[in-house]
Amino acid sequence: MTVPIYQTSTYVQDEVGVHKGYDYSRVANPTRTALQLCLASLEGAEHGVAFASGMAAVTTVMHLVSPGERIVSVNDVYGGVYRLFSQVYQPKGYEFTYLSAETINAELAQHIDERTRIVWLETPTNPLLNVIDIRAAAEAAHAVGSLVVVDSTFATPYLQRPLELGADIALHSTTKYLAGHSDVVGGFAATNDPTVAERLYFLQKSLGAVPGPFDSWLVLRGLKTLAVRMRQHCENARQVAQFLERHPAVERVLYPGLESHPGHEIARRQMRDFGGMISFLAASEEEAVGLVARTKLWQLAESLGGVESLIEHPARMTHASTADAPFAAPRNLVRLSVGIESAGDLIEDLEAALVRSAAAAGA
Ligand SMILES: *Cc1c(COP(=O)(O)O)cnc(C)c1O
């Protein structure tokens, strides 16, 4: 019933040049192969390539681009991706243009040309939950011969399948919802393009950022409950977002499931449901920092997508590396990764922490 953990680095061969399908575990390992097949099938993809982390997946995909070529990216990308782009690739002569989700949705075609090798999208974005119309962006990008990469970590293939909407590569940090239990770091990229796939398999073994057999097994184990977990994450997030939207100490709630969200209509079209991530603006940075330390059920921690609810302050934690960017996370932003606990308990805990905010503001 369960794929074994093939905890081996090498494989006995029958003769020189005749092996049983595996020769060395950086090149291939049966547990990793099972994971790649499973994740690819969830994305509706022919090919899937697993990595040691989400950033390892990003780094490997970035090797499809050469110095002098251009990457057009949504400005509100994951902080670690922005750091990689701005502090590793840009100094090597790669060119980056950052556009807001709004600009991409309205007029991407006006900002790309034949030198654009990749249009890098993330939807919904981390941490502002902006939503990008994947189908429209893919049409514009393909018109100039660019590839479209969608970091679909927040959505998972249960909620959104970028390849079916026209993207060339769907990318994930499997650390998050796919593994789902905050116990492993991993990454993944899926594609239906045979040329891209061949290059990614080559880069996977050549760059070597591969996941180990036990890590592959943990992600496979998590995937078995992806659908039920996602349903509960979405249901809980809906209730928490509605609670926050009514709360006087909350300035603004960013959740694509709310009709007030600018990306609500696009999200309805391209996602099955709206996911388990919510961000909101507290009255001030001090309030945000105080609040995230006061909750009891919501643990103060980076990362997201596990069964337990987490709370954090992006400007000083996950997105500190975007602090110098023109699109830095607002200082009063709080990000929630809504777990699968009782929604009532989660709301009660937030309410207690927010009441103290309101009291402090009044004092
Ligand atoms: C976490 C995350 C990453 C990076 O993944 P790691 O597994 O931490 O390396 C990339 N993109 C998004 C949207 C993420 O949330």
Side-chain angles (χ1 to χ4, degrees):
M1 274 310 297
T2 304
V3 176
I5 304 166
Y6 286 88
Q7 194 67 49
T8 186
S9 61
T10 190
Y11 307 81
V12 176
Q13 308 191 14
D14 293 333
E15 285 175 44
V16 173
V18 182
H19 61 67
K20 304 182 182 83
Y22 293 90
D23 56 3
Y24 185 58
S25 278
R26 175 162 35 73
V27 180
N29 172 282
T31 316
R32 192 175 97 207
T33 302
L35 174 64
Q36 293 182 159
L37 287 170
C38 181
L39 283 170
S41 80
L42 290 176
E43 281 292 359
E46 287 288 316
H47 308 279
V49 196
F51 297 98
S53 68
M55 291 313 301
V58 175
T59 302
T60 304
V61 167
M62 278 299 291
H63 278 73
L64 299 172
V65 189
S66 302
E69 292 180 327
R70 201 161 156 232
I71 295 98
V72 173
S73 172
V74 61
N75 60 11
D76 171 29
V77 273
Y78 173 67
V81 172
Y82 176 70
R83 179 174 57 203
L84 181 77
F85 286 175
S86 62
Q87 294 184 48
V88 178
Y89 285 102
Q90 204 174 322
K92 291 182 192 295
Y94 295 70
E95 281 183 34
F96 290 88
T97 303
Y98 296 98
L99 303 174
S100 68
E102 205 182 350
T103 304
I104 292 177
N105 286 333
E107 48 176 49
L108 175 64
Q110 293 174 36
H111 300 269
I112 54 179
D113 58 22
E114 282 68 27
R115 273 195 317 126
T116 307
R117 179 79 177 110
I118 287 184
V119 171
W120 193 282
L121 307 177
E122 190 179 301
T123 183
T125 59
N126 180 0
L128 293 177
L129 282 309
N130 286 314
V131 176
I132 294 165
D133 186 334
I134 298 172
R135 195 183 291 283
E139 273 170 26
H142 291 158
V144 297
S146 170
L147 292 173
V148 176
V149 177
V150 175
D151 183 338
S152 194
T153 297
F154 271 30
T156 82
Y158 181 73
L159 299 180
Q160 161 178 294
R161 279 190 291 279
L163 303 182
E164 290 173 5
L165 296 165
D168 301 286
I169 296 174
L171 183 141
H172 291 278
S173 166
T174 58
T175 313
K176 316 295 168 55
Y177 289 105
L178 294 175
H181 295 73
S182 308
D183 53 11
V184 63
V185 170
F188 178 71
T191 185
N192 279 321
D193 181 326
T195 314
V196 169
E198 196 184 325
R199 188 69 186 161
L200 287 180
Y201 288 126
F202 171 81
L203 289 169
Q204 181 193 37
K205 74 175 176 192
S206 302
L207 298 172
V210 293
F214 184 52
D215 287 359
S216 300
W217 184 87
L218 280 170
V219 180
L220 270 172
R221 178 180 166 127
L223 284 172
K224 296 183 190 195
T225 53
L226 178 66
V228 283
R229 284 188 286 110
M230 290 314 293
R231 287 198 286 270
Q232 195 63 38
H233 283 300
C234 293
E235 180 49 38
N236 282 1
R238 197 171 354 265
Q239 292 186 40
V240 170
Q242 282 165 0
F243 159 76
L244 289 171
E245 203 175 38
R246 288 192 302 265
H247 202 285
V250 173
E251 304 275 302
R252 195 166 154 221
V253 184
L254 307 173
Y255 181 63
L258 295 173
E259 277 171 27
S260 60
H261 190 280
H264 180 67
E265 280 310 312
I266 300 171
R268 267 170 56 134
R269 276 205 307 276
Q270 72 185 16
M271 297 175 73
R272 184 204 295 256
D273 205 339
F274 304 101
M277 296 301 296
I278 301 173
S279 289
F280 67 91
L281 298 173
S284 65
E285 177 168 13
E286 292 64 41
E287 277 312 314
V289 170
L291 178 74
V292 299
R294 273 202 297 275
T295 52
K296 297 198 165 60
L297 246 185
W298 302 81
Q299 305 277 357
L300 176 59
E302 304 203 353
S303 198
L304 61 108
V307 291
E308 300 91 357
S309 291
L310 302 180
I311 191 165
E312 67 120 0
H313 182 253
R316 293 198 197 172
M317 294 172 66
T318 49
H319 290 68
S321 55
T322 62
D324 61 334
F327 41 84
R331 308 294 310 179
N332 57 338
L333 190 76
V334 173
R335 192 187 74 180
L336 302 175
S337 173
V338 184
I340 64 167
E341 306 93 331
S342 143
D345 289 351
L346 292 174
I347 289 170
E348 214 171 275
D349 190 31
L350 273 179
E351 181 144 48
L354 281 164
V355 161
R356 303 244 323 254
S357 291

